[in-house]
Each structure stands twice: as C-alpha cells, then as structure tokens.
C-alpha cells in the first residue's frame, strides 16, 4: 500500500500556504504521493497514512482553522503519522523564536492525544501595508509588539526543504489493511 500524504494548511495572507506548497513539492521529490489542501477543504482523512498540518501563529494562538482541524479529525489523526509546523517569528532574534516555540508548544498541549513525529517553527512574512481589518487596527496600537515594525520575510526556504526531506525519510511505510 502506498504512503499517501496530506499536506493541510491554514493561512491568512498566503505565507503559510507558500510554505505548505514547498513542503508538498519536496515530499513529492522524495517519491511520496501528496495532496495539498487548505484545512477547510478537507472532508475525510481516510485515504492518508500521513498528515502534515501547518499554519501561522496569530495573537499567541495557532490559526483557529488548524486547531479546528485537529478537533474535527481527532479520532483518525490518532492512527496517522502527523507532523506539524507553525509560522511566526518576523526577525532572526533568538528571543522571538523562543517565544514562538513556547506559544506553539502551549497550543499543541491543548491536544494531549497528539504525538507528532515532527514539530517545527518557521520564520514568517509580514507586510503592514497588506493587512486587513482587524489586524490593521491591532498593529496600529502602540502596545502591539508589531507596532511600527518594518515589512519582513524571514522564511528560510533551505530550512523548509531540509525539514520536509528529513520528514520523508522518517515516514514509516503504510501497513496493508
Ligand atoms: C496581527 C498579527 C498578529 C501576529 N501574532 C503573532 C504571534 O502571536 N506570534 C508569532 O510568532 N507571530 C505572529 N504573527 C506573525 C505571523 O505568524 C506571520 O506574519 C505569518 O507569516 C503569517 O502567515 P500567513 O501569511 O499565512 O497568514 C502575527 C502577525 C500579525 C499580522
């Protein structure tokens, strides 16, 4: 039986989607059969042996569609190999990466049944000019950590591809049913 992989993502402004696309492409280069879908379009996980779930952190939380996906598919996900990633840090400051990892760990702790085979944080992308409401208002508040910070894109494509390649080597072949 073939190991079929679902790469599911949530994304507000497209940067997590692009990371998910790169991960899906890298897994395919490693001879895996991969479907790439936004989480809200995933109806069933029946055909998959592996799920890779990725989404950005917003206001200290993992995107709510990613959390909803875990809750909705809890029973099936317990039988799959699951890998998760979050986007967040907008600079290369070590402190910011530690905070993002702590936020992500806290979010994942809400799903104690989940035992991912890989957990990763990737740098994010931010463009204050492209924000919609209410993010525009949030960022305009002087108390916001994102107040007046410049546009940035700290996604490290080499690290993203390396993570996906390593993941491909970690996957156990699906067992015949
Ligand atoms: C309003 C707002 C709040 C954010 N909150 C967090 C946060 O709490 N922690 C974090 O690490 N990154 C935070 N970020 C950074 C995003 O995770 C980053 O911009 C990500 O690349 C956005 O992904 P998307 O383009 O797929 O929506 C925030 C960004 C915005 C605009």
């Amino acid at each position: 039986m073939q190991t079929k992989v679902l790469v599911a993502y949530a994304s507000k402004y497209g940067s997590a989607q692009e990371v998910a696309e790169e991960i899906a492409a890298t897994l395919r280069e490693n001879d895996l059969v991969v479907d790439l879908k936004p989480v809200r379009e995933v109806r069933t996980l029946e055909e998959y042996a592996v799920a890779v779930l990725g989404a950005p952190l917003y206001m200290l939380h993992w995107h709510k569609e990613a959390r909803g996906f875990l809750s909705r598919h809890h029973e099936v996900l317990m039988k799959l190999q699951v890998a998760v990633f979050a986007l967040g840090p907008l600079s290369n400051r070590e402190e910011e990466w530690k905070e993002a990892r702590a936020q992500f760990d806290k979010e994942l702790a809400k799903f104690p049944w989940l035992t991912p085979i890989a957990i990763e944080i990737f740098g994010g992308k931010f463009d204050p000019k492209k924000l919609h409401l209410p993010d525009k208002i949030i960022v305009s508040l002087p108390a916001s950590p994102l107040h007046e910070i410049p546009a940035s894109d700290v996604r490290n494509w080499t690290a993203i591809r390396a993570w996906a390649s390593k993941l491909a080597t970690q996957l156990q072949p699906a067992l015949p049913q």
Side-chain angles (χ1 to χ4, degrees):
M1 195 188 152
Q2 213 161 23
T3 304
K4 194 165 180 190
V5 182
L6 171 69
V7 177
Y9 61 88
S11 179
K12 257 202 224 185
Y13 297 103
S15 59
Q17 176 176 346
E18 287 167 358
V19 171
E21 286 167 359
E22 194 65 28
I23 288 168
T26 307
L27 294 174
R28 286 184 188 125
E29 282 163 22
N30 282 271
D31 297 327
L32 289 157
V33 178
V34 181
D35 282 349
L36 172 72
K37 290 184 185 177
V39 285
R40 56 175 181 274
E41 285 177 18
V42 179
R43 298 284 165 264
T44 165
L45 298 179
E46 255 167 46
E47 52 190 314
Y48 303 108
V50 181
V52 181
L53 175 63
L57 292 160
Y58 275 103
M59 309 294 289
L60 314 180
H61 296 289
W62 207 22
H63 195 299
K64 70 173 187 307
E65 288 179 11
R67 289 180 278 135
F69 177 89
L70 289 180
S71 302
R72 251 191 335 278
H73 298 288
H74 169 175
E75 295 297 327
V76 187
L77 285 169
M78 280 179 52
K79 296 183 218 142
L80 302 192
Q81 301 173 78
V82 181
V84 292
F85 68 88
L87 266 70
L90 298 172
S91 75
N92 288 318
R93 270 193 320 119
E94 200 185 323
E95 199 51 39
E96 199 180 334
W97 283 76
K98 276 193 195 152
E99 279 167 23
R101 180 65 201 226
Q103 289 168 15
F104 194 27
D105 286 345
K106 204 168 164 192
E107 290 293 273
L108 293 174
K110 294 175 184 165
F111 306 92
W113 52 267
L114 184 71
T115 50
I117 57 169
I119 301 175
E120 193 62 340
I121 295 281
F122 296 121
K125 180 180 176 184
F126 173 73
D127 186 347
K129 291 202 196 82
K130 296 210 170 125
L131 298 179
H132 321 137
L133 294 172
D135 294 340
K136 213 186 209 30
I137 297 172
I138 292 164
V139 166
S140 72
L141 300 172
S144 162
L146 301 182
H147 183 63
E148 289 185 348
I149 71 160
S152 64
D153 184 353
V154 294
R155 291 172 298 171
N156 178 336
W157 297 103
T158 307
I160 291 162
R161 284 190 283 270
W163 184 75
S165 291
K166 187 172 172 218
L167 182 62
T169 65
Q170 276 175 264
L171 297 177
Q172 309 292 327
L175 298 171
Q177 292 183 336

